[in-house]
C-alpha cells in the first residue's frame, strides 16, 4: 500500500516523539512492502514563529492532500504565561480540527500487563480496563461566543451545541459500541446545563435505532469519580468537548502514564492521529520524552487503513519494550532510563 502522511511535529517534545513514530512506521513499511511518503508541515508555536499563524494555509493544504495526518503536540510556555497574547499555538489546533472537519476524538484507555502495578490505582480496579471515550471536538465552549464586558472585569465563554453536532458524534458512538461490548454512556450535566439537556434528548431519540446497545446517562462529576473507581464498568463514552478534554486526561492515569495513550481524530475529511499528552516544554530537546503514545497512534493509523497485522505488530513490540524495561525515565522507577531516540531505535529494530 502507498500512503501519503502529513507530518505535523508541532512544539515542545512533538518533534522528538514524532521522529520515533516515523522510525517505527518506516520499519513496518519495509517489513510489509508498503510505501510511505512523509510531508512535513508547520503548526503551533513553530508556525507562529515562521509566518505569524498557528495553522497556516500551506499546512492545511498539506493535510487536505494527505491520506492521514500524524501529529505531535502544540503549546509553548511563552504564550501560556502571556494572557494578552492575540495569537496562540492552541488556536492552530482548534482551527485544524474545524477546517479538516475533525469532529470526533477517539481516545482508547487500556492497561499494559507489565505496568499494572505501576498505575496509581489498585490492580483489582484497573486490570482488564478497555474503554473508549468519544469526545466532541468542534463545538461547545471552545468554539462558542466569548468575550469581556464591564471594562474587562467580566469574562464569558458560551457552551453552544447544535442537534446535528450531537447526532453525528452519537452515531459514531453507537456504531463503535456495536463492535465492542454494546454499552454506551452519554456523559453530560443535564441537571444544570441546557446544552446538556439537548445532548440527552438527542441521544435518547437515537436509542430506537440501536436496540442492542445498552445506553446509560451520567453526570460528568459522577463519572469523574467512577472512572477511577470502576473503569471496567465503561465501554464507550460520548461527551462534549470540555468534559471530554478533562475526562480523557483523567483516564490516562489508569495506564500509568499520559505518555502511553494514543488517539485519533476523525470526521468529514482526513483523519488525524496524535498522542494525548501535551508539548511538555520542560523536556523539549532533552531526548527523555516517552514516545510510546505517538507510536501507538501510528498503530491506530495503520489499523484504520485495514493493516491490522501491521498495527498488531507495533502493539506487540511496545508491550515487549515495557516488559523488558526499554522505557524512558517516566517509567524507569530507579531502573535504567533509555533516551527517546533509543526507545524508537529498539522498537524499529525489533519490528
Amino acid at each position: 500500500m502507498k500512503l501519503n502522511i502529513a507530518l505535523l511535529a508541532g512544539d515542545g517534545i512533538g518533534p522528538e516523539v514524532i521522529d520515533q513514530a516515523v522510525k517505527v512506521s518506516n520499519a513496518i513499511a519495509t517489513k510489509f512492502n508498503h510505501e510511505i511518503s512523509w510531508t512535513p508541515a508547520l503548526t503551533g508555536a513553530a508556525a507562529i514563529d515562521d509566518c505569524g499563524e498557528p495553522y497556516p494555509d500551506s499546512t492545511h493544504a498539506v493535510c487536505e492532500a494527505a491520506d492521514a495526518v500524524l501529529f505531535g503536540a502544540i503549546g509553548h510556555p511563552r504564550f501560556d504565561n502571556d494572557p494578552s497574547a492575540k495569537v496562540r499555538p492552541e488556536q492552530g489546533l482548534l482551527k485544524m480540527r474545524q477546517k479538516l472537519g475533525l469532529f470526533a476524538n477517539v481516545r482508547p484507555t487500556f492497561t499494559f500487563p507489565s505496568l499494572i502495578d505501576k498505575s496509581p490505582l489498585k490492580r483489582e480496579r484497573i486490570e482488564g480496563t478497555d474503554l473508549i471515550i468519544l469526545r466532541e471536538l468542534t463545538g461547545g465552549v471552545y468554539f462558542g461566543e466569548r468575550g469581556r464586558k464591564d471594562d474587562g472585569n467580566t469574562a464569558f465563554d458560551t457552551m453552544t451545541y447544535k442537534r446535528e453536532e450531537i447526532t453525528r458524534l452519537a452515531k459514531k458512538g453507537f456504531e463503535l459500541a456495536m463492535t465492542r461490548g454494546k454499552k454506551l454512556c452519554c456523559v453530560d450535566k443535564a441537571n444544570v446545563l441546557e446544552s446538556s439537556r439537548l445532548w440527552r434528548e438527542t441521544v435518547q431519540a437515537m436509542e430506537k435505532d440501536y436496540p442492542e446497545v445498552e445506553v446509560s446517562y451520567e453526570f460528568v462529576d459522577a463519572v469523574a469519580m467512577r472512572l477511577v473507581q470502576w473503569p471496567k464498568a465503561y465501554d464507550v463514552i460520548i461527551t462534549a468537548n470540555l468534559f471530554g478534554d478533562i475526562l480523557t486526561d483523567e483516564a490516562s492515569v489508569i495506564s500509568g502514564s499520559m505518555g502511553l495513550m494514543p488517539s485519533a481524530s476523525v470526521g468529514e475529511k482526513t483523519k488525524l492521529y496524535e498522542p494525548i499528552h501535551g508539548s511538555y516544554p520542560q523536556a523539549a530537546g532533552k531526548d527523555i520524552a516517552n514516545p510510546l503514545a505517538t507510536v501507538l497512534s501510528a498503530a491506530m493509523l495503520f489499523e484504520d487503513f485495514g493493516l491490522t497485522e501491521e498495527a498488531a505488530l507495533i502493539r506487540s513490540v511496545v508491550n515487549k519494550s515495557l516488559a523488558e524495561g526499554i522505557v524512558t525515565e517516566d517509567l524507569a522507577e530507579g531502573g535504567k532510563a533509555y533516551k527517546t531516540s533509543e526507545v524508537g531505535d529498539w522498537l524499529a529494530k525489533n519490528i
Side-chain angles (χ1 to χ4, degrees):
M1 180 179 284
K2 291 185 177 181
L3 291 172
N4 175 24
I5 309 298
L7 202 60
L8 274 58
D11 306 321
I13 62 171
E16 296 164 72
V17 295
I18 280 287
D19 281 350
Q20 312 322 310
V22 169
K23 284 179 190 175
V24 169
S25 298
N26 285 340
I28 287 288
T30 299
K31 183 176 181 67
F32 290 91
N33 296 314
H34 300 306
E35 184 180 323
I36 303 178
S37 297
W38 303 99
T39 307
L42 293 175
T43 190
I48 294 173
D49 291 342
D50 182 73
C51 65
E53 291 287 337
Y55 183 65
D57 291 342
S58 57
T59 296
H60 182 61
V62 168
C63 293
E64 277 201 309
D67 297 313
V69 179
L70 188 60
F71 172 67
I74 268 182
H76 196 285
R78 77 172 185 270
F79 296 94
D80 298 339
N81 298 327
D82 182 6
S84 65
K86 301 299 182 186
V87 181
R88 296 179 177 277
E90 292 78 10
Q91 291 170 344
L93 188 55
L94 299 181
K95 186 176 179 182
M96 177 167 59
R97 289 169 178 167
Q98 202 164 39
K99 291 188 73 172
L100 290 175
L102 303 172
F103 64 81
N105 185 223
V106 184
R107 290 198 178 185
T109 296
F110 48 87
T111 54
F112 299 86
S114 60
L115 297 182
I116 288 287
D117 294 320
K118 292 186 179 180
S119 171
L121 303 178
K122 294 178 180 178
R123 170 186 283 267
E124 58 267 27
R125 293 202 180 274
I126 64 170
E127 195 166 26
T129 296
D130 180 16
L131 64 92
I132 292 180
I133 300 177
L134 272 182
R135 167 192 168 194
E136 199 286 323
L137 271 187
T138 56
V141 73
Y142 293 164
F143 291 91
E145 184 181 351
R146 68 189 59 190
R148 295 281 187 104
K149 57 185 180 181
D150 299 332
D151 295 324
N153 294 309
T154 302
F156 62 92
D157 299 273
T158 309
M159 184 181 288
T160 303
Y161 270 108
K162 298 178 181 178
R163 191 181 299 274
E164 55 263 33
E165 292 175 322
I166 302 165
T167 300
R168 66 186 181 183
L169 184 87
K171 183 175 184 292
K172 285 195 176 292
F174 276 109
E175 291 171 349
L176 188 57
M178 286 294 292
T179 67
R180 293 170 47 87
K182 297 184 179 179
K183 290 170 62 179
L184 180 74
C185 180
C186 176
V187 176
D188 58 34
K189 192 63 177 168
N191 58 335
V192 175
L193 301 177
E194 190 63 35
S195 59
S196 283
R197 288 190 272 274
L198 179 62
W199 268 79
R200 190 167 289 211
E201 70 180 52
T202 301
V203 177
Q204 286 174 337
M206 297 173 70
E207 286 186 34
K208 65 182 185 302
D209 299 323
Y210 304 90
E212 295 178 58
V213 178
E214 177 189 339
V215 184
S216 61
Y217 300 86
E218 296 186 31
F219 297 144
V220 63
D221 45 344
V223 174
M225 175 185 67
R226 292 173 184 156
L227 199 55
V228 292
Q229 288 182 310
W230 306 290
K232 288 182 282 188
Y234 296 104
D235 180 26
V236 177
I237 290 173
I238 57 172
T239 193
N241 205 339
L242 175 62
F243 301 154
D245 194 0
I246 296 167
L247 290 177
T248 50
D249 278 10
E250 182 194 16
S252 72
V253 306
I254 293 170
S255 69
S257 171
M258 277 189 73
L260 293 170
M261 288 292 104
S263 77
S265 295
V266 303
E268 301 160 1
K269 301 176 184 176
T270 309
K271 293 182 179 181
L272 180 144
Y273 301 85
E274 61 177 310
I276 75 161
H277 59 67
S279 60
Y280 191 14
Q282 300 90 336
K286 296 180 181 178
D287 204 18
I288 60 173
N290 188 340
L292 296 184
T294 314
V295 170
L296 290 170
S297 296
M300 291 181 74
L301 185 158
F302 283 114
E303 188 160 54
D304 282 352
F305 280 97
L307 305 176
T308 55
E309 187 179 352
E310 290 85 338
L313 179 56
I314 292 174
R315 294 186 182 110
S316 174
V317 296
V318 165
N319 274 314
K320 186 180 179 186
S321 74
L322 293 170
E324 296 186 14
I326 314 299
V327 294
T328 44
E329 64 176 30
D330 59 311
L331 295 174
E333 289 193 352
K336 179 179 178 180
Y338 288 78
K339 295 183 180 299
T340 307
S341 54
E342 290 174 333
V343 173
D345 290 340
W346 189 94
L347 294 170
K349 181 181 178 181
N350 275 262
I351 286 169

